[in-house]
Amino acid sequence: MTPSRTIVFTNAVEEAERHAPAAARPSAAGAQRSTLTGCPWHDVKSMLRDVGLRPTRQRMALGWILFGKGDRHITAEMLYEEATKAKVPVSLATVYNTLHQFTDVGLLRQVAVDGSKTYFDTNVSQHHHFFVEGENDLLDIPTTDVVVGKTPIPPEGYEVARIDVVVRLRRKSRT
Ligand SMILES: [Zn+2]
């Protein structure tokens, strides 16, 4: 294949995507979400409506903080702190409840790192994580890096619902 043909092919694909109805395109997050308009407030409202959650003031405010900054990993405490800084009057209990409601309807994915730390991921597509010990930082492992080579066979009567891999990292000690 000549280089010029490759370019024509790439353009054709891009062109087809541009003309395809937005709903037909696979969403980056993998979830069924409304067409984003670029207005975070409007987007959060339709996002909540799509999953059948009433867009209350608190859900709107927390959703706006959560989803307005691209894909991120956040704990309830982190979100509570951000909400407080943004002058959103919510209690930590409300933040917890809202995060769990969002998780139940598939807007968030819960990533348990250990018994005490639970992160909520705005990227609900299948991916694994690095956890940096001591820095409490959760990073996505690129999907091109295969983590699980062979899915274990589940016991009789069970099926694998999801595989979550957390690879724990620490800084190399300088010697
Ligand atoms: Zn993630």
Side-chain angles (χ1 to χ4, degrees):
M1 194 183 270
T2 63
S4 68
R5 272 196 182 175
T6 313
I7 292 161
V8 169
F9 176 72
T10 309
N11 285 347
V13 168
E14 279 171 3
E15 199 66 15
E17 272 175 358
R18 206 174 303 140
H19 293 300
R25 281 181 227 156
S27 155
Q32 284 200 332
R33 288 181 182 173
S34 293
T35 315
L36 300 183
T37 60
C39 165
W41 198 258
H42 178 276
D43 289 346
V44 171
K45 200 170 203 170
S46 35
M47 199 186 263
L48 291 176
R49 289 236 167 97
D50 283 355
V51 293
L53 285 180
R54 207 157 54 84
T56 60
R57 270 179 108 74
Q58 284 174 329
R59 282 185 191 142
M60 285 293 292
L62 293 176
W64 183 70
I65 295 172
L66 272 170
F67 302 111
K69 297 175 186 174
D71 285 341
R72 58 199 304 223
H73 308 103
I74 196 165
T75 62
E77 289 77 13
M78 283 157 69
L79 180 59
Y80 175 66
E81 202 174 297
E82 285 189 26
T84 308
K85 272 190 194 146
K87 308 244 189 297
V88 176
V90 281
S91 65
L92 185 56
T94 303
V95 170
Y96 267 110
N97 289 339
T98 307
L99 284 170
H100 285 288
Q101 282 167 352
F102 283 5
T103 304
D104 287 345
V105 295
L107 290 178
L108 293 173
R109 203 183 121 185
Q110 212 172 327
V111 183
V113 172
D114 55 39
S116 60
K117 269 240 165 325
T118 297
Y119 285 84
F120 294 87
D121 197 338
T122 59
N123 176 2
V124 294
S125 68
Q126 175 67 54
H127 64 283
H128 303 297
H129 293 96
F130 284 124
F131 178 69
V132 188
E133 291 183 339
E135 294 171 31
N136 289 345
D137 205 6
L138 199 65
L139 309 164
D140 287 344
I141 296 177
T143 44
T144 46
D145 293 359
V146 178
V147 176
V148 181
K150 180 179 170 289
T151 307
I153 297 157
E156 187 69 36
Y158 293 90
E159 60 182 3
V160 175
R162 198 174 84 191
I163 298 174
D164 285 332
V165 175
V166 176
V167 178
R168 306 176 77 98
L169 304 179
R170 62 173 174 231
R171 294 237 178 235
K172 285 182 182 174
S173 54
R174 269 166 279 179
T175 45

